[in-house]
Structures are given as structure tokens and as C-alpha cells.
Amino acid sequence: MTHQAKDGALRPLLVKGFRIYQGLLDRDAQRVLLHEVAAIQRKAPPFRPETPGGRRMSVSMTSAGRHGWFSDRHGYRYVSRHPSGVAWPPIPAPLIALWRRLAPDAPLPDSCLVNLYGKGARMGMHQDRDEADFDHPILSISLGDEALFRMGNVTRGGRTESIWLKSGDVVVIGGAARLAYHGVDRIRFASSSLIKGGGRVNLTLRVVGG
Ligand code: MD3
Ligand code: FE
């Protein structure tokens, strides 16, 4: 793993094909996004999806954009409406602007998944393969408490690498890394003062297609 200079917010750390822009978003930019997340939540309240195996995820979720991620006994998929029946709210403009900056060659995202981590929440190792086309990158933004993120390989098992994702970090996942197994082992609850009462928000922008 290589390390970046302190001044180089736009020089990404390269880990297994991921580009990690540490501290790309300053505190003001983080607060703007947190307000956008609050607005999304008012229209599309977060819920804890049930996995096909019948377990309730510890992470609460909601979405913005044409496609929102959903899961229940029938499987993982994208749906065009929140469980309440309302359409997902539009993807906030500052997120589209960030995508244009960091993924200028990709089509614009049509989905923004909002992951909300409370105390003890985690996300097991998985692949993201519910999208129509794995050629497009994924952009992830971390806000609030630090998270121990783990990445593995395109097949289950083998060597993994872990890194703490902090508030304001942005990760771009593309190329071979797009189908790598990854997860969040734990968060350091209340390690950040951005979110009152503690917690972590992760936003993932994707081109779902269809
Ligand atoms: C590596 N979210 O929503 S973001 C997810 O922090 C998800 O909430 C995590 O994994 C979170 O699916 C990790 C960084 C990330 C996002 C997508 C990836 C890493 C990825 C897709 C492929 C490989
Ligand atoms: Fe994922």
C-alpha cells in the first residue's frame, strides 16, 4: 500500500485497484451532504432490509435516483420505489458534481444508496453485482464515524486488506476491483463529531442501468 502526501487530497491512495481520496471533502462539504441525506430520509425513510436468508441487516438504508437498492426473502435487487410506494428522491446535485469530477468518462449515476451505520452495525463481505454492467465505476463517500473497511478478491477467501475510512474520504472503485469482495467489519462509534449522537453515513453512487 502506498501513502499519499498530506497536501495531495486529489492524489489517491491506490489499494488493490481502488482509488482512495483521503480527506477530499472538507467539513463544510460534509455538512452540505449530510443535509442532503436528511432531505432524502424525509421523503424515503430508512429501513433495514431483510436478506434472502431471512436475517435483518444491521445497516439501515434508503436511496435516491431512478433505482434504489432493496432486499427481502426474494433476493437482492434494484426497485423503482421506496417500500412506502413513493418514488425515490432525485440524486442531489453536489453528488452528481462530484461524480463528474472523479469519473468524467462514465455515464451519470442513476442510483445513490444511503447506508446508515448505528452503534454495532456492520456489513459482511459481499460483491456488488446487482447492476446491469460492471464496467462502470462506483463512487463511495464516507461521513461521520470511522469505519474499518476490508477488501478482498474477486473470489471469496484469500488475502484481504483493511483500511479505516474517515469522514470526507471518497473511494472510486473501477476496473478489476469492481467485482472484489468487500465489507465493513466495524465502526468506531462516536469517533467523529459530524453526526450528532454518533453514526456513520456511506453514500454509493452507481450506474445501475435498465
Ligand atoms: C468495493 N458499502 O453499499 S463503500 C455497499 O461503507 C457497500 O457502506 C460499504 O459495500 C460501506 O455495497 C463500502 C466502498 C465500496 C463500495 C462498493 C464497492 C467498495 C467496493 C464495490 C466493489 C468493490
Ligand atoms: Fe458493496
Side-chain angles (χ1 to χ4, degrees):
M1 188 187 298
T2 54
H3 281 271
Q4 68 177 133
K6 196 92 194 96
D7 65 329
L10 256 172
R11 219 169 325 141
L13 237 158
L14 297 176
V15 186
K16 290 194 168 210
F18 295 67
R19 278 148 52 199
I20 306 182
Y21 297 87
Q22 291 182 319
L24 183 66
L25 305 176
D26 66 18
R27 194 77 170 185
D28 280 345
Q30 294 171 38
R31 277 192 279 259
V32 166
L33 292 185
L34 213 52
H35 278 104
E36 296 289 0
V37 168
I40 291 169
Q41 291 192 56
R42 284 193 293 274
K43 295 182 198 153
F47 54 95
R48 283 173 58 200
E50 194 177 4
T51 65
R55 289 147 63 113
R56 194 65 69 182
M57 295 182 70
S58 60
V59 179
S60 290
M61 299 180 177
T62 188
S63 286
R66 233 165 74 72
H67 304 282
W69 193 80
F70 186 73
S71 173
D72 61 14
R73 294 297 190 111
H74 304 288
Y76 305 131
R77 61 198 180 275
Y78 285 93
V79 295
S80 58
R81 289 178 182 278
H82 182 271
S84 70
V86 301
W88 304 106
I91 299 176
L95 292 174
I96 300 290
L98 188 65
W99 176 278
R100 285 184 185 280
R101 173 145 78 114
L102 297 183
D105 300 327
L108 293 179
D110 53 17
S111 178
C112 174
L113 174 61
V114 179
N115 291 150
L116 301 156
Y117 293 77
K119 192 173 194 153
R122 56 182 301 282
M123 190 178 284
M125 295 291 278
H126 66 278
Q127 288 174 301
D128 291 15
R129 48 183 319 148
D130 302 320
E131 301 75 25
D133 186 340
F134 307 134
D135 288 345
H136 304 306
I138 294 176
L139 190 154
S140 144
I141 299 159
S142 292
L143 300 170
D145 293 340
E146 296 166 17
L148 187 57
F149 174 72
R150 185 207 292 257
M151 26 207 192
N153 309 95
V154 294
T155 53
R156 222 179 238 296
R159 276 187 62 96
T160 65
E161 268 191 75
S162 295
I163 187 167
W164 284 96
L165 292 179
K166 302 193 173 126
S167 199
D169 290 353
V170 177
V171 185
V172 179
I173 305 100
R178 179 62 182 74
L179 283 172
Y181 277 86
H182 59 280
V184 174
D185 288 340
R186 61 194 167 92
I187 69 165
R188 277 209 273 246
F189 191 74
S191 55
S192 163
S193 58
L194 184 74
I195 298 171
K196 231 186 306 134
R200 171 175 188 258
V201 176
N202 180 266
L203 305 172
T204 46
L205 295 170
R206 299 154 200 267
V207 181
V208 172

